[in-house]
Amino acid sequence: MTTQLQVAVRKIFSVNPATGEVLRELECVGESEVRAVVARAQAAQQAWAAIGVRRRIAVLREFQRKLQKKKSEIALAITLEAGKPVAEALTTEVLVVLDAARFLIEHAYRLLRDEALPHGNLATKLKKGRILRDPYGVIGIISPWNYPFSIPATETLAALVAGNAVVLKPSEFTSLVGLELKSLLLEAGVPPDIFQVVVGEGATGAALIHAPIDKLVFTGSVGTGKRIAAAAAERLLPVVLELGGKDPMLVLDDADVDVASSAAVWGAFVNAGQTCLSVERCYVQRTLYEPFLKACVEKTKKLRVGGGIDRETDVGPMIHERQLQIVEAHVDDAVARGARVLAGGSRLSERGPNFYQPTVLADVTHEMRIMREETFGPVLPVTAFDSDDEAVRLANDSEFGLAACICTRDDVRGERLARSIQAGTVMINDVVSCFGISEAPHGGFKSSGVGRAHGRFGLEEMVRMKYLDTDLMPSMKKVWWYGYGATFTRQMEGLLDMQFARGWRARLRGALRGVGAIAGKKL
Ligand code: NAD
């Protein structure tokens, strides 16, 4: 008698965070189906690699064309599921992806082709060296909800153009956007088994790590990143980890207060503060502290909070109640320890389920959670500093190291400070926008991650590097092969001196001894 095991299929709900309305119910993909998806990807990948970079670039061009045509439709889908204003969906998502495609269309052929590797060592001059870049095979991508289109799409385009198949596990909060990406790619000519989406929660992501993928690109929180790194280590699965941030902004005493305050307000509240590169800590030189706070408060109070569909909205809802509770806990803790609330500071329940007022806090300290943990909400905590050294020390006093910003009119001073800051990116006089610079590597120091996305270095993450060495004198035995003895040792000393001794006389003497090795060695 066989026992039928009834496994209940888990459901997830795609919800509009502005209204709480359920957009769609979806079934989580289970472990065996994830394995089947990866097996299909494996079976299809070699043919995709075999068509060559130029044909894959043509597919990217088609994808770019389709995305440009459907820009408003895609932006709307992003707004419905992630809450951000349509304007932000267009700029921080659709535009970023169009430009990432542009970068790969222009540069992928050059960056992926075989690269000659000349040798400097005289002993290896008679060899031709080349770097080859092979696709990994199947790349698993696990992505978050905060940039549900631009994050998986930029990573996917790089993986695909390099000849990989991709299996994407989008965030359970933004599965529909992941499925929109799939439709666009398939319409552009990507074969169905080369880009597949497995929707589900963490368990589906965990199943993907345990399936026979060849590399994982994960973007999400530090906590999940650590769990993923541990699981990947069990089978030495290579991983890229793009994790959380607690980005500092330094406003130096020569900064333009109007410009710096506008940067801080946008940097803290774009996407309702739910950006890995958000301004999460703001340090202002004491002489500018009060005028800067005044300008930030004035600008923050003018922000229009509402549903992202409304074209006049500046700040949309947060993604869900749990994220809102973290923000409340951080603000409450800061206030209890002496921070002043200058704007906002509470929910906006009359707008809908997940709205929080853009909030400015003054006089924060590093004893407060708001300055140590990732808040990921619309809060701008500000404090004063007295010297450049103190500003750098405060900026670096963090577990995180994703990015940082320095506002100054003095480029030399800004660059000096930037070099001392422990972060994957430092922007002088701008915030957040580095994510949209397709050439710029994106990734963190410290707990903010491992590896890079975007640009040349993001593309390099999608290939295994292979060194191909061809000897140009195949009929000649090499001088370093067996035949050791006193003569050999002398000859080797000669060769070493010829290349590395100080002074031309010593080198010449070495050369004369070394030539003996090449000419006289027999085995
Ligand atoms: P999260 O870590 O909760 O989830 C990210 C993804 O991991 C989701 O798809 C989730 O389903 C999946 N997941 C959860 N548990 C898993 C497990 N055990 N195994 C495999 N997959 C699992 O993060 P989130 O809340 O979706 O996103 C917000 C976080 O992402 C913030 O910390 C933010 O800073 C970070 N982030 C970083 C970057 C960057 O580029 N560095 C960009 C965007 C967001």
Side-chain angles (χ1 to χ4, degrees):
M1 196 181 85
T2 53
T3 316
Q4 283 272 307
L5 205 65
Q6 282 285 320
V7 183
V9 177
R10 264 188 82 81
K11 299 270 172 70
I12 47 173
F13 298 92
S14 164
V15 174
N16 179 342
T19 60
E21 175 204 355
V22 173
L23 300 167
R24 208 194 304 168
E25 183 183 318
L26 299 120
E27 285 184 1
C28 292
V29 176
E31 196 177 333
S32 57
E33 180 55 15
V34 169
R35 285 190 164 271
V37 162
V38 171
R40 285 202 294 276
Q42 275 176 328
Q45 184 266 331
Q46 285 193 359
W48 176 246
I51 67 169
V53 184
R54 288 192 196 279
R55 279 183 59 196
R56 294 194 296 270
I57 286 175
V59 173
L60 254 59
R61 198 174 277 120
E62 191 54 30
F63 167 83
Q64 190 192 41
R65 226 174 271 141
K66 295 211 177 306
L67 175 57
Q68 184 271 327
K69 280 202 185 124
K70 287 192 167 176
K71 57 189 180 300
S72 305
E73 208 178 300
I74 298 291
L76 191 63
I78 296 167
T79 294
L80 277 177
E81 215 179 16
K84 63 189 68 185
V86 171
E88 284 179 15
L90 282 169
T91 53
T92 65
E93 303 249 22
V94 177
L95 171 61
V96 167
V97 178
L98 285 170
D99 196 62
R102 189 268 313 152
F103 172 82
L104 293 168
I105 290 164
E106 285 176 5
H107 300 288
Y109 181 76
R110 179 177 55 82
L111 294 171
L112 291 170
R113 74 181 165 194
D114 297 355
E115 184 183 324
L117 193 78
H119 302 150
N121 184 346
L122 281 178
T124 59
K125 280 280 184 200
L126 292 176
K127 290 165 155 298
K128 187 169 83 171
R130 271 165 299 160
I131 302 283
L132 314 187
R133 293 177 169 84
D134 286 354
Y136 268 95
V138 180
I139 304 261
I141 296 179
I142 299 180
S143 58
W145 46 263
N146 64 333
Y147 287 86
F149 189 69
S150 56
I151 290 174
T154 51
E155 294 165 352
T156 294
L157 294 181
L160 291 179
V161 81
N164 299 285
V166 170
V167 178
L168 167 66
K169 207 299 277 174
S171 166
E172 54 272 44
F173 301 105
T174 51
S175 311
L176 298 184
V177 175
L179 294 170
E180 289 284 354
L181 174 61
K182 178 178 163 178
S183 303
L184 273 171
L185 286 165
L186 268 50
E187 278 173 37
V190 174
D193 290 345
I194 290 298
F195 181 77
Q196 300 176 80
V197 175
V198 289
V199 300
E201 299 167 306
T204 305
L208 184 58
I209 300 165
H210 290 108
I213 55 171
D214 300 289
K215 184 157 185 173
L216 178 75
V217 180
F218 170 78
T219 309
S221 60
V222 173
T224 311
K226 284 181 179 170
R227 277 195 293 282
I228 282 175
E234 276 176 28
R235 65 177 184 96
L236 291 181
L237 174 71
V239 286
V240 172
L241 301 171
E242 298 286 349
L243 308 179
K246 189 76 197 168
D247 290 1
M249 173 177 187
L250 309 183
V251 181
L252 308 189
D253 55 4
D254 62 357
D256 180 317
V257 169
D258 182 38
V259 173
S261 57
S262 288
V265 166
W266 186 72
F269 304 136
V270 61
N271 199 22
Q274 303 167 115
T275 302
C276 55
L277 297 161
S278 288
V279 172
E280 287 241 344
R281 301 178 283 148
C282 187
Y283 304 94
V284 185
Q285 198 141 11
R286 201 166 300 277
T287 47
L288 292 189
Y289 189 52
E290 290 303 335
F292 177 83
L293 279 171
K294 186 165 172 280
C296 285
V297 170
E298 271 169 19
K299 289 172 187 179
T300 300
K301 286 186 172 164
K302 284 188 190 146
L303 294 174
R304 299 155 301 177
V305 182
I309 298 286
D310 181 348
R311 299 295 193 265
E312 306 305 313
T313 288
D314 296 308
V315 181
M318 300 190 61
I319 191 75
H320 48 51
E321 172 67 22
R322 202 158 20 94
Q323 201 57 48
L324 213 95
Q325 284 171 3
I326 295 170
V327 174
E328 282 182 328
H330 285 195
V331 171
D332 290 352
D333 171 75
V335 172
R337 291 170 191 264
R340 285 185 289 143
V341 180
L342 301 186
S346 58
R347 288 180 186 234
L348 265 175
S349 303
E350 65 272 24
R351 290 271 193 287
N354 298 311
F355 289 93
Y356 195 87
Q357 289 180 311
T359 296
V360 179
L361 296 180
D363 306 344
V364 291
T365 69
H366 278 212
E367 278 63 56
M368 299 171 183
R369 293 179 68 189
I370 201 111
M371 296 300 268
R372 305 215 72 87
E373 299 169 30
E374 191 179 39
T375 306
F376 228 52
V379 185
L380 175 63
V382 189
T383 190
F385 69 87
D386 291 301
S387 68
D388 288 7
D389 285 350
E390 187 190 6
V392 169
R393 185 181 56 73
L394 288 166
N396 288 341
D397 179 22
S398 174
E399 160 197 4
F400 300 94
L402 191 55
C405 155
I406 300 170
C407 288
T408 176
R409 277 187 270 216
D410 180 345
D411 283 356
V412 175
R413 185 180 174 202
E415 207 173 305
R416 184 168 48 77
L417 266 62
R419 287 177 190 279
S420 306
I421 288 178
Q422 296 155 358
T425 300
V426 182
M427 302 194 77
I428 298 176
N429 294 320
D430 198 4
V431 288
V432 181
S433 65
C434 51
F435 188 77
I437 301 170
S438 301
E439 288 74 12
H442 172 69
F445 283 17
K446 302 195 271 188
S447 291
S448 289
V450 176
R452 290 292 179 270
H454 296 186
R456 172 156 71 95
F457 298 97
L459 191 59
E460 291 279 4
E461 297 282 4
M462 304 301 178
V463 288
R464 289 184 222 264
M465 191 179 294
K466 183 187 283 174
Y467 171 64
L468 180 60
D469 187 276
T470 310
D471 197 90
L472 300 174
M473 300 287 279
S475 54
M476 194 180 96
K477 291 174 185 168
K478 310 303 167 236
V479 291
W480 50 87
W481 291 357
Y482 280 130
Y484 303 164
T487 313
F488 176 92
T489 305
R490 240 187 308 114
Q491 288 166 338
M492 283 303 125
E493 284 168 352
L495 271 177
L496 263 61
D497 286 350
M498 180 174 79
Q499 284 201 78
F500 302 107
R502 286 193 70 173
W504 66 269
R505 280 195 190 84
R507 288 185 183 212
L508 184 63
R509 272 198 304 275
L512 293 173
R513 262 192 294 163
V515 166
I518 298 162
K521 187 158 182 273
K522 298 272 182 295
L523 185 68

